């Protein structure tokens, strides 16, 4: 067996990571690239072992998962361009291509009730939805679905036995950075502790002043420790092991520990066994053996779309084909599925799913305030702490930790919720409010993504998360200007259910946004009066989703902290 | 990198425009060194997070506390140079002074014309400066003014009993409700805070009432009918000719999806078809006649302020204010509803951003703005709320760095770092 240096380009998992920087032909500078430019091509650079930067402009050149066919530019000085223009025009007239050519019947997706989201597993669909518009989130990744590539990379590195380079996902870089910061904080705390100890010793009279000065010089000259360069190779478990020893000495460090512990626990790969296997001699391996030994990892990750995104893709763009399991069947069984739902029924289904009711559904009123739900109101801290404080403790004799059951309303609604009903009399539904905001900003061209990371409802990006950080954080606030909400009894009851927002909440949100260099936007969604279904013909079956959505109005306000000191000049 | 946002951990600290020195804890030992002539802002000291049981730490803390105690117990005296006496007028809850000297009075107080003067149109009216309750209170706190109760005797020489600071607070704030003048402690906090910073503060017309009818400057100008510059240009008709079959999709069968499969030339067309939601256009509100404002009592513009270095301010002709402040009680009100905020915005003049500004600046500046001063038991925080017109900034129409531009590598962004 001979040693073979594995080039970075040969491995199977790296197709998507390296794209050649294509230069577009000069005449198409202002138009998006036409379909004769292939963005995916592997570079044949065998000598280049370092990682190639991904060309995001190329990958994310389409803002939506639809295809456009611009006409080639016309240059008066170049007569051939005129011919080309005419040819393309005639071709488009007689054989018109479709904008939905990428997703002829729609990308397949299925609705999952237990997670209140829509899952996409088809790899081509996952790639298309992420690259063209930044829809969804990988369920095992931070945002872009990179789990499979990370797994393959880890396996390859374990087999190769070391060496840097190759694909480093965003999660790995973040982990490394957090590790560095953790070490830096430990070092800083240690230096501080020594300073305090010395001060105490001086006051007790044990240490002379000269020794203190010497100690100060030694400590002052100590620079920040540089973190070890190959942090990526360390298994997170190993890091935790090292840190535990130093942690026992000082309770001060416990706080610094808990944060990286949580992060490493969440991003550590689930299969530890392949890495800890002693493959130290794996440097001597052949390609043939490698290919046979590489187990084909089944992609356990799917792309998770929020209900709002799924409805946008399905109704507004028409590129998603959502299958819904019938109500008498759990998610795991896939024997039969309900055929493609019309948009109104889909809207009803999503609206119902976004809100749970406190009482069992024997006569649920659509205006019942939601208690605990995902995708709509967040959990109120006081409610959670109260529930934990009053719940009985469960002591499992086999486990070493206490379990506190969360006695709250069940997350899954009762089975009748899956049957789409034309009970569309509640326009105050949180799903609808979120969707209206989402659709509004999407139609203006913004890339809008969930903003739970920064305590807001949505984040607005100019082109996408990979290009720049979000400039705006949007909070959705319902507004009830219609007279129905103030004059009738049902209207007033529905208004009481809305969360009272106080100034502290707004100040918190504003401070968080300014700390991360964003601007807070309050988006007031004016909720119309509910449609009275009895007046419409055919029992209200003639409702149009477009008409329903057009009844809402949106008004945005930008909130910024005003400083008295800074505005004087 | 997939998500540049995750790595924006603000290690550089807050932006310079967000630093408010009045919020940082000051090292009060430096207060002991301050005399009247030199007023330096004390340097911020090192912050300790826990007791160390070192004598050094406890000594430092004791010294700081002592310095603050000394500063607060400093006895304030009236300087004989700038000594001014004012007399309290119980019926109108104001005070008047005769020809007060000093730079402060250049921007405070007013001489009332004969009809409005509560003391009548006598020969001293021109010299009599009437001070509003908040002005009086601020000056008394500061030590420039000595307010006297009205003299009982008719002896012109006797000045009347001096009013103590407690008395001043009791009359000018505590007794306000009986006079219906509506100076509350919250409004006074805002007033004195701004005055101490150097601003010129005056009451707005909507101080105690919904306000005067809206003037035309509150509304955006009506659109001018001009020929669009590109109307007859070559690009335009060529593009409409070649737009092809994409315009036939306006059939009303929006049943299944908004964007029907078909031929689209560019993404702007697709985005235009997606425009479904009605959005508020701040440039289009044009009523036929002047409307009466309907501002909510909790959300009204109360103060007009001018910047300290403003050259254009004159008591007789103040000019348009630099900022408008609405004082909000943080404990009694919640985040405003759309009606309250809309009514407040209606009463504020139209101030659009510059036409050629950048996208983010235009949106952040907004078309109308107002500053809310939220007072929470004496702690004031200011929020500037602007009516943003996101609908005017259509990203797909911008050609700067359009979709699919061939310039390689987007903006580096913060925290991408690789």
């Amino acid at each position: 067996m001979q040693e073979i240096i594995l080039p970075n380009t040969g491995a199977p998992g790296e197709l998507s990571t390296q794209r050649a920087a294509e230069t577009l032909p000069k005449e198409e500078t202002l138009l998006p690239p036409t379909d004769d430019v292939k963005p995916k091509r592997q570079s044949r650079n065998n000598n280049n072992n370092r990682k190639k930067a991904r060309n995001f402009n190329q990958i994310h050149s389409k803002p939506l998962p639809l295809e456009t066919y611009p006409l080639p530019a016309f240059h008066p000085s170049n007569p051939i361009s005129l011919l080309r223009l005419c040819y393309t025009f005639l071709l488009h007239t007689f054989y018109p291509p479709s904008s939905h050519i990428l997703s002829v019947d729609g990308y397949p997706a299925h609705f999952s009730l237990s997670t209140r989201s829509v899952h996409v597993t088809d790899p081509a669909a996952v790639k298309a939805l992420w690259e063209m518009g930044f829809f969804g989130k990988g369920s095992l990744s931070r945002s872009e679905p990179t789990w499979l590539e990370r797994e393959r990379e880890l396996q390859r590195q374990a087999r190769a036995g070391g060496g840097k380079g190759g694909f480093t996902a965003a999660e790995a870089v973040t982990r490394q950075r957090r590790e560095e910061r953790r070490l830096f904080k430990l070092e800083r705390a240690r230096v501080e502790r020594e300073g305090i100890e010395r001060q105490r010793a001086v006051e007790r009279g044990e240490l002379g002043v000269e020794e203190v000065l010497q100690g100060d010089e030694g400590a002052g000259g100590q620079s920040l420790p540089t973190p070890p360069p190959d942090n990526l190779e360390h298994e997170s478990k190993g890091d935790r092991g090292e840190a535990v020893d130093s942690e026992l000495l000082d309770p001060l460090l416990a706080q610094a520990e808990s944060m990286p512990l949580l992060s490493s626990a969440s991003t550590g790969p689930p299969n530890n066994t392949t890495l800890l296997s002693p493959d130290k001699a794996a440097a001597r391996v052949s390609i043939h053996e490698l290919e046979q030994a590489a187990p084909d990892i089944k992609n356990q990750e799917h792309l998770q779309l929020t209900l709002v995104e799924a409805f946008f893709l399905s109704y507004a763009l028409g590129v998603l084909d959502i299958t819904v399991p019938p109500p008498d069947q759990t998610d795991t069984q896939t024997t039969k599925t309900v055929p493609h739902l019309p948009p109104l029924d889909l809207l009803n289904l999503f609206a119902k799913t976004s809100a749970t009711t406190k009482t069992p559904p024997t006569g649920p009123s659509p205006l019942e305030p939601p208690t605990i739900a995902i995708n709509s109101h967040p959990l109120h801290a006081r409610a959670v702490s109260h529930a934990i404080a009053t719940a009985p403790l469960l002591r499992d004799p086999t486990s070493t930790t206490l379990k506190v059951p969360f006695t709250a309303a069940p997350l899954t609604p009762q089975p009748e919720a899956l049957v789409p009903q034309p009970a569309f009399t509640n326009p105050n539904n949180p799903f609808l409010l979120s969707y209206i905001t989402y659709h509004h900003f999407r139609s203006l061209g913004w890339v809008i993504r969930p903003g739970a990371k920064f305590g807001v409802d949505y984040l607005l990006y100019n082109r996408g998360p990979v290009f720049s950080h979000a400039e705006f954080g949007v909070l959705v606030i319902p507004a009830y200007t219609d007279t129905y909400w103030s004059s009738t009894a049902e209207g007033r009851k529905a208004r009481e259910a809305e969360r009272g927002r106080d100034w502290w909440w707004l100040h918190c949100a504003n401070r968080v946004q300014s700390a991360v260099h964003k601007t807070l936007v309050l988006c007031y969604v004016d909720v119309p009066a509910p449609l009275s279904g009895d007046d419409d013909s055919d029992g209200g079956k003639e409702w149009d989703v477009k008409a329903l959505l057009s009844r809402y109005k949106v008004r945005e306000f930008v909130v910024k902290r005003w400083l008295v000191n800074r505005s004087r000049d | 990198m997939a998500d540049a946002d995750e790595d924006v951990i603000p290690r550089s600290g807050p932006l310079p425009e967000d630093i408010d020195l009045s919020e940082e804890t000051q090292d009060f030992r430096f207060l002991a060194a301050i005399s009247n002539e030199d007023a330096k802002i004390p340097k911020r000291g090192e912050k300790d997070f826990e007791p160390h049981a070192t004598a050094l730490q406890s000594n430092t803390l004791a010294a700081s506390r002592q310095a603050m105690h000394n500063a607060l117990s400093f006895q304030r005296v009236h300087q004989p140079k700038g000594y001014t006496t004012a007399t309290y007028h119980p019926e109108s809850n104001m005070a008047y002074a005769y020809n007060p000297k000093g730079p402060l009075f250049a921007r405070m107080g007013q001489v009332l014309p004969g009809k409005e003067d509560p003391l009548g149109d006598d020969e001293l009216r021109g010299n009599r400066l009437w001070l509003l309750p908040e002005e009086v209170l601020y000056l008394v706190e500061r030590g420039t003014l000595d307010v006297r109760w009205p003299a009982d005797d008719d002896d012109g020489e006797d000045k009347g009993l001096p009013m103590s600071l407690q008395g001043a607070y009791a009359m000018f704030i505590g007794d306000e409700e009986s006079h219906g003048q509506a100076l509350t402690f919250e409004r006074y906090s805002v007033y004195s805070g701004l005055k101490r910073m150097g601003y010129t503060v005056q009451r707005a017309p909507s101080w105690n009432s919904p306000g005067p009818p809206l003037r035309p400057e509150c509304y955006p100008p009506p659109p001018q009918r001009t020929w669009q510059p590109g109307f007859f240009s070559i690009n335009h008709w060529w593009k409409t000719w070649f737009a092809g079959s994409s315009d036939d999709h306006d059939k009303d069968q929006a049943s299944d999806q908004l964007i029907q499969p078909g031929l689209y030339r560019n993404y702007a067309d697709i985005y235009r078809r997606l425009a479904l939601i009605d959005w508020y256009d701040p440039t289009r509100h044009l009523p036929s006649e002047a409307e009466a404002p309907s501002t909510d009592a909790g959300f009204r513009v109360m103060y007009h302020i001018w910047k300290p270095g403003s050259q254009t301010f004159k008591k007789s002709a103040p000019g348009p204010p630099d900022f408008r402040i609405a004082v909000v009680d943080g404990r009694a009100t919640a985040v405003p509803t759309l009606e309250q905020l809309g009514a407040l915005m209606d009463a504020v003049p139209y101030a659009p951003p510059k036409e050629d500004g950048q996208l983010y600046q235009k949106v952040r500046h907004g078309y109308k703005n107002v500053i809310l001063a939220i007072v929470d038991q004496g702690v004031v925080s200011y929020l500037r709320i602007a009516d943003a017109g996101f609908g005017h900034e259509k990203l797909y129409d911008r050609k700067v760095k359009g979709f699919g531009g061939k310039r390689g590598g987007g903006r580096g962004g913060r925290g991408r770092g690789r």
Side-chain angles (χ1 to χ4, degrees):
Chain A
M1 302 302 169
Q2 45 180 338
E3 269 184 359
I4 300 203
I5 301 171
L6 303 173
N8 271 341
T9 61
E14 300 201 37
L15 262 176
S16 58
T17 68
Q18 299 174 8
R19 312 208 187 283
E22 288 276 340
T23 57
L24 294 175
K26 286 224 172 38
E27 48 193 43
E28 277 138 351
T29 49
L30 284 182
L31 301 169
T34 58
D35 43 359
D36 52 1
V37 171
K38 302 268 182 300
K40 304 170 209 164
R41 186 187 301 177
Q42 251 178 310
S43 77
R44 308 289 168 91
N45 220 340
N46 285 334
N47 300 329
N48 198 359
N49 257 342
R50 59 178 172 81
K51 185 186 72 60
K52 278 184 113 62
R54 303 166 64 178
N55 188 353
F56 290 121
N57 267 328
Q58 204 76 34
I59 305 171
H60 301 285
S61 52
K62 296 193 180 50
L64 292 174
L66 298 172
E67 188 76 47
T68 56
Y69 302 94
L71 290 175
F74 171 59
H75 291 272
S77 57
N78 186 0
I80 301 189
S81 71
L82 178 63
L83 287 176
R84 187 167 178 204
L85 178 68
C86 289
Y87 168 70
T88 321
F89 176 67
L90 291 170
L91 190 70
H92 286 167
T93 314
F94 292 116
Y95 300 104
S98 168
S99 57
H100 286 59
I101 199 170
L102 303 164
S103 59
V104 184
D105 291 320
Y107 296 119
H110 66 273
F111 169 73
S112 154
L113 184 61
S114 54
T115 58
R116 309 294 177 88
S117 56
V118 171
H119 296 180
V120 180
T121 43
D122 180 38
V126 167
K127 201 152 118 60
L129 286 176
W130 172 259
E131 283 180 0
M132 297 190 267
F134 300 99
F135 292 96
K137 172 196 177 297
S139 58
L140 294 174
S141 316
R142 209 170 61 181
S143 51
E144 181 178 356
T146 53
W147 183 80
L148 195 60
E149 284 147 5
R150 279 185 287 131
E151 279 306 297
R152 289 197 179 128
E153 180 64 24
L154 283 167
Q155 282 200 356
R156 191 176 30 250
Q157 282 180 359
R159 278 196 303 275
K164 265 188 5 166
F167 177 72
T168 51
E171 288 85 349
V173 171
T174 309
R175 190 167 43 196
Q176 178 185 19
R177 195 169 292 174
R178 284 179 183 164
E179 188 62 33
E180 287 170 19
R181 283 190 70 212
R182 189 176 68 89
L183 292 174
F184 160 67
K185 283 183 184 171
L186 290 181
E187 189 56 39
R188 185 177 63 187
R190 189 181 67 78
V191 168
E192 237 178 62
R193 236 175 331 131
E194 283 173 12
I196 293 170
E197 281 305 316
R198 243 177 297 133
Q199 179 67 31
R200 284 195 204 149
V202 164
E203 287 169 10
R204 283 195 294 263
E206 291 164 6
L207 221 51
V209 184
E210 307 84 28
E211 300 178 33
V212 172
L213 285 178
Q214 277 176 11
D216 273 343
E217 274 164 23
Q222 202 174 29
S223 58
L224 290 174
T226 53
D230 49 348
N231 249 336
L232 280 179
E233 304 305 313
H234 293 171
E235 170 57 22
S236 56
K237 208 160 135 194
D239 287 340
R240 255 180 273 154
E242 287 168 42
V244 162
D245 300 328
S246 56
E247 187 181 338
L248 289 174
L249 297 176
D250 203 321
L252 262 182
L253 300 174
Q255 285 173 358
E257 260 306 293
S258 57
M259 200 187 58
L261 262 184
L262 286 172
S263 63
S264 55
S266 59
T267 57
N271 45 353
N272 294 338
T273 52
T274 56
L275 284 161
L276 293 181
S277 62
D279 267 340
K280 299 299 180 202
R284 299 178 157 267
V285 84
S286 73
I287 285 187
H288 182 65
E289 247 189 28
L290 198 69
E291 280 174 357
Q292 279 187 346
D296 202 20
I297 313 172
K298 183 172 177 317
N299 194 358
Q300 298 180 16
E301 180 181 45
H302 56 262
L303 187 76
Q304 195 157 340
L305 296 169
T306 59
L307 295 180
V308 165
E309 287 173 339
F311 190 74
F312 179 78
L313 287 169
S314 156
Y315 169 68
L317 296 186
V319 299
L320 202 65
D321 182 22
I322 305 179
T323 51
V324 178
D328 51 353
Q329 154 184 329
T330 60
D331 281 338
T332 52
Q333 308 168 7
T334 46
T335 47
K336 64 179 163 82
T337 54
V338 172
H340 180 70
L341 286 177
L344 188 63
D345 292 334
L346 203 61
L347 187 63
N348 272 327
L349 172 65
F350 286 166
K352 263 193 177 337
T353 317
S354 291
T356 53
T357 57
K358 250 192 304 210
T359 57
T362 57
S365 78
L367 304 178
E368 190 70 39
T371 54
I372 289 162
I374 305 175
N375 285 344
S376 61
H377 300 286
L379 299 173
H380 198 287
R382 241 178 271 144
V384 173
S385 62
H386 179 73
I388 290 181
T390 55
L393 292 182
L394 278 182
R395 205 173 275 273
D396 185 3
T398 58
S399 78
T400 54
T401 60
L402 280 176
K403 286 199 196 57
V404 177
F406 194 80
T407 56
L411 288 180
T412 56
Q414 310 306 316
E416 60 88 24
L418 269 190
V419 178
Q421 294 163 6
F424 207 58
T425 53
N426 185 15
N428 194 15
N429 191 282
F431 168 76
L432 277 171
L433 300 177
S434 289
Y435 180 72
I436 294 291
T437 317
Y438 188 91
H439 190 113
H440 171 63
F441 285 109
R442 271 280 179 193
S443 65
L444 293 175
W446 295 93
V447 170
I448 175 167
R449 287 186 53 76
K453 276 187 282 210
F454 296 105
V456 286
D457 289 323
Y458 288 117
L459 292 174
L460 295 183
Y461 294 86
N462 194 342
R463 290 183 68 192
V466 299
F467 294 105
S468 59
H469 71 284
E471 193 58 39
F472 297 101
V474 179
L475 282 171
V476 179
I477 302 181
Y480 304 96
T481 53
D482 200 273
T483 49
Y484 167 82
W485 301 106
S486 46
S487 50
T488 62
E490 307 95 28
R492 259 172 280 146
K493 188 159 162 274
R495 281 189 82 159
E496 279 162 20
E498 76 175 293
R499 209 173 29 179
R501 291 168 179 89
D502 47 26
W503 288 106
W504 298 293
W505 165 80
L506 187 63
H507 281 309
C508 278
N510 198 23
R511 285 287 189 146
V512 167
Q513 296 317 300
S514 55
V516 289
H517 312 306
K518 294 187 204 317
T519 310
L520 184 66
V521 173
L522 298 178
C523 189
Y524 282 90
V525 180
D526 194 10
V527 183
L531 287 174
S532 47
D534 311 319
D535 301 338
D536 286 351
S537 59
D538 301 343
K541 282 288 182 189
E542 293 306 312
W543 286 327
D544 190 14
V545 178
K546 186 170 176 185
L548 280 166
L549 294 178
S550 332
R551 300 175 69 217
Y552 289 82
K553 283 194 252 312
V554 165
R555 184 166 175 178
E556 314 101 350
F557 292 96
V558 166
V559 175
K560 203 165 148 51
R561 200 165 144 234
W562 186 73
L563 290 170
V564 191
N565 280 336
R566 298 268 160 184
S567 311
R568 278 201 280 209
D569 40 335
Chain B
M1 190 167 334
D3 209 337
D5 268 324
E6 285 275 332
D7 298 319
V8 176
I9 304 164
R11 267 170 249 145
S12 56
L15 293 172
E17 63 244 21
D18 283 331
I19 296 179
D20 194 2
L21 275 178
S22 62
E23 297 175 346
E24 310 287 354
T25 50
Q26 313 290 339
D27 191 353
F28 289 107
R29 286 178 296 173
F30 287 90
L31 270 181
I34 289 182
S35 57
N36 269 347
E37 290 92 36
D38 103 74
K40 268 191 324 230
I41 300 177
K43 194 175 83 69
R44 188 161 73 100
E46 275 273 324
K47 188 170 181 177
D48 283 340
F49 289 93
E50 55 170 17
H52 296 154
T54 55
L56 179 68
Q57 188 189 46
S58 39
N59 286 347
T60 315
L61 286 173
S64 301
R65 277 195 289 266
Q66 189 60 38
M68 180 150 81
H69 188 262
N70 290 347
L72 287 176
S73 56
F74 180 69
Q75 186 178 39
R76 293 184 288 176
V77 296
H78 290 283
Q79 299 296 331
K81 232 179 6 170
Y83 185 71
T84 319
T85 311
T87 313
Y88 173 62
H89 188 253
E91 286 84 24
S92 61
N93 212 24
M94 295 206 292
Y96 57 91
Y98 290 102
N99 270 338
K101 301 287 184 293
L104 283 174
F105 294 99
R107 302 196 163 206
M108 291 169 82
Q110 48 183 334
V111 174
L112 292 175
K115 284 194 292 280
E116 296 173 21
D117 198 322
L119 287 182
D121 196 359
D122 55 356
E123 67 272 7
L124 289 174
R125 184 191 60 79
N127 295 336
R128 199 183 304 137
L129 193 69
W130 284 93
L131 296 163
L132 291 169
E134 60 258 24
E135 293 170 343
V136 180
L137 204 46
Y138 174 71
L139 291 169
V140 169
E141 274 239 21
R142 215 177 161 279
T144 19
L145 199 63
D146 181 19
V147 182
R148 303 275 172 153
W149 293 95
D152 283 335
D153 325 323
D154 274 354
D155 194 358
E157 297 295 332
D158 201 0
K159 279 197 197 168
L161 296 170
M163 190 187 271
S164 65
L165 189 60
Q166 282 166 309
Y169 265 96
M171 298 316 294
F172 293 117
I173 292 186
D175 208 26
E176 264 294 291
E177 283 158 26
S178 62
H179 294 267
Q181 298 293 329
L183 178 73
T184 58
F185 185 69
E186 284 83 22
R187 297 188 190 193
Y188 176 68
S189 309
V190 173
Y191 178 87
S192 58
L194 288 171
K195 280 298 291 184
R196 261 183 242 124
M197 287 294 156
Y199 290 89
T200 311
V201 187
Q202 281 195 349
R203 285 188 182 180
S206 54
W207 167 259
N208 206 12
S209 64
L214 300 176
R215 292 191 307 266
E217 71 199 22
C218 295
Y219 303 115
Q224 313 287 331
R225 276 178 180 258
T226 57
W227 288 109
Q228 298 295 327
F231 193 69
F232 286 121
S233 72
I234 294 198
N235 275 343
H236 188 75
W237 63 260
W238 176 71
K239 274 186 190 151
T240 52
W241 189 27
F242 279 102
S245 53
S246 57
D247 284 337
D248 295 340
H249 293 274
D250 283 341
K251 311 186 194 89
D252 248 308
Q253 30 150 300
S255 53
D256 242 9
Q257 56 202 47
L258 280 183
I259 308 288
Q260 302 289 335
L263 171 66
Y264 297 100
R265 294 287 177 201
N266 48 20
Y267 285 102
D269 280 342
I270 299 182
Y271 277 114
R272 267 180 225 119
R273 272 171 178 72
L274 282 177
L276 178 67
I277 312 290
D278 202 6
W279 49 273
Y280 175 84
D281 190 354
T283 59
R284 212 182 283 176
H285 178 65
L286 293 170
S288 47
E289 68 273 345
E291 283 182 355
S294 55
T295 51
D296 192 273
F299 292 93
R300 277 188 194 139
V301 176
M302 283 149 202
Y303 286 120
H304 286 174
I305 70 173
W306 285 259
K307 289 185 187 166
S310 167
Q311 312 290 337
T312 56
F313 179 82
K314 278 197 294 281
K315 262 204 271 188
S316 48
D322 290 321
F323 301 108
R324 286 169 180 78
I325 309 270
V327 178
V328 174
D329 187 357
R331 300 258 167 164
T333 60
V335 171
T337 62
L338 187 58
E339 299 102 325
Q340 291 166 332
L341 211 45
L344 182 60
M345 284 297 172
D346 281 342
V348 174
Y350 181 68
K354 284 197 293 281
E355 275 297 323
D356 51 348
Q358 291 193 350
L359 165 72
Y360 290 158
Q361 257 102 26
K362 281 171 86 167
V363 173
R364 274 195 286 240
H365 186 275
Y367 288 83
K368 283 190 172 192
N369 57 56
V370 74
I371 297 179
L372 294 185
I374 297 116
V375 186
D376 180 12
Q377 299 280 321
V379 179
V380 186
S381 53
Y382 297 92
L383 286 181
R384 177 184 180 271
I385 305 224
D387 209 348
F390 268 92
H392 282 291
E393 308 300 325
K394 296 185 169 49
L395 258 71
Y396 52 84
D397 270 344
R398 300 182 82 86
K399 288 219 178 53
V400 185
K401 279 190 186 183
F403 302 122
K406 79 163 182 159
R407 298 172 192 84
R411 296 194 295 265
R414 291 169 228 190
R416 273 187 63 197
R418 277 194 290 164

